[in-house]
Amino acid sequence: MKLFKLAAAIGMLLSTAGAPATAHAQELRLGVLPRLSATELTAMFTPLADYLGRETGRKVRLVLAKDFDTFEKQVRGGEVDLAFANPLVYVQLKREVDLVPLGLGAEKKGGTRFRGSIIVRKDSGITDLAGLKGKRVIFVDEDSLGGYITQALLLKKQGFDVKRDFALLPFAKKHDNVTMAVFSKAADAGGIREDDLEKMAAKVDVGQLKVLAYTDYFPNWPIFAAGKLDAATRDAVRAALQKLKGGDAVLEAARLTAFAPVADKDYDALREAARTVGAF
């Protein structure tokens, strides 16, 4: 009898050893475009990762890149299964990688759309966009929709050549850094997302800054899945995102009010705008 039980146990082990891990045992990796510090992003998106883990039955680990380039490499290299990024980065990566949008982030101020802004100090003497000519201007990153692309489009519509008409400073890599540069007078003007100025109230006296101009609106950030993620898991994540309602602690932490339905075609107008400024 003991020999029979031992043989049965060995047989069971052999039958499962070569079997693939179940979907529930596989970890999902959630990447977030690093427009803010790692500390802030961890606080904002760990609750979302935990929530998606509960809803899908799979552990979801937050993966934070040091900069935009690293984030894009992670998506291209299959190092993340889910990602949350600005729409320009999404449409650029979509040309190279099979991506599926699952939810459209909605914010308190702009809802499911957002815009960029150009900020200056109130004591700068700059009162309109014409006053920026020849000035030191700083932006976030060449792939930052809210911190460069939307502003470049606005300035181009006003007749400016962004690369020739201003003294462009090196990209700051973070919206916070742009605000600090303008506040400290290291730059005369800077491009940031509309809602990022008020987020800096705890770090600088934003009362000394003003918005010189706003850009056009564009669809907000999507959460998207890499094409290799199975359809059942994509559906589960999509359902979980849309299940969240305003006021939920998960959304509050992420500074969002909802995740709305989204389709790739929703970003077609953005693709055209990006082509206009040579970003697509």
Side-chain angles (χ1 to χ4, degrees):
M1 181 61 72
K2 289 182 178 179
L3 288 175
F4 176 77
K5 290 182 177 178
L6 178 60
I10 292 173
M12 184 175 295
L13 287 172
L14 290 174
S15 68
T16 58
T22 64
H24 293 290
Q26 295 173 356
E27 178 182 75
L28 294 176
R29 299 155 298 177
L30 170 62
V32 178
L33 190 71
R35 71 181 178 91
L36 300 172
S37 71
T39 300
E40 289 175 285
L41 292 176
T42 298
M44 290 172 66
F45 292 100
T46 295
L48 178 61
D50 292 342
Y51 167 74
L52 292 176
R54 293 192 300 270
E55 291 293 310
T56 61
R58 299 171 64 173
K59 177 178 174 57
V60 178
R61 176 167 60 90
L62 190 62
V63 177
L64 297 178
K66 65 178 181 179
D67 54 33
F68 280 39
D69 288 342
T70 303
F71 172 86
E72 291 171 13
K73 288 176 182 176
Q74 289 174 340
V75 176
R76 291 192 191 98
E79 296 175 40
V80 294
D81 306 290
L82 301 165
F84 188 47
N86 80 42
L88 178 66
V89 170
Y90 163 73
V91 297
Q92 288 176 329
L93 289 170
K94 175 71 174 175
R95 293 188 299 177
E96 307 172 48
V97 188
D98 182 16
L99 304 176
V100 181
L102 303 176
L104 175 62
E107 298 175 310
K108 292 179 180 178
K109 199 162 190 177
T112 56
R113 59 181 190 165
F114 79 99
R115 59 183 176 176
S117 65
I118 295 177
I119 61 170
V120 297
R121 285 186 61 94
K122 288 182 177 177
D123 59 5
S124 66
I126 301 172
T127 58
D128 55 27
L129 290 176
L132 290 178
K133 191 165 186 178
K135 301 295 186 181
R136 298 166 302 161
V137 183
I138 190 167
F139 296 107
V140 178
D141 190 273
E142 62 182 349
D143 287 335
S144 175
L145 184 58
Y148 176 60
I149 301 300
T150 55
Q151 289 88 351
L153 181 61
L154 170 67
L155 293 168
K156 185 170 183 177
K157 288 180 177 179
Q158 294 294 316
F160 289 106
D161 183 319
V162 176
K163 295 183 178 180
R164 294 182 181 180
D165 291 333
F166 312 108
L168 290 182
L169 298 176
F171 287 115
K173 299 301 181 182
K174 297 282 192 300
H175 290 254
D176 290 10
N177 295 341
V178 170
T179 305
M180 289 297 295
V182 176
F183 178 78
S184 66
K185 299 184 180 181
D188 299 305
I192 60 173
R193 276 178 57 116
E194 174 184 10
D195 57 342
D196 277 333
L197 181 58
E198 58 191 57
K199 292 176 184 176
M200 288 291 289
K203 299 179 181 180
V204 300
D205 179 7
V206 295
Q208 295 187 45
L209 303 173
K210 68 176 182 179
V211 175
L212 186 67
Y214 291 106
T215 73
D216 292 335
Y217 280 106
F218 289 94
N220 219 332
W221 288 35
I223 279 190
F224 53 88
K228 292 182 180 179
L229 189 63
D230 64 277
T233 301
R234 293 200 304 266
D235 290 344
V237 171
R238 184 184 292 109
L241 292 173
Q242 295 181 21
K243 183 177 172 182
L244 290 168
K245 303 300 179 185
D248 189 289
V250 172
L251 292 173
E252 288 290 326
R255 304 173 189 172
L256 298 170
T257 59
F259 281 102
V262 64
D264 180 71
K265 63 181 177 59
D266 296 337
Y267 295 99
D268 286 347
L270 168 62
R271 291 181 171 97
E272 288 302 316
R275 289 187 185 97
T276 300
V277 296
F280 191 75

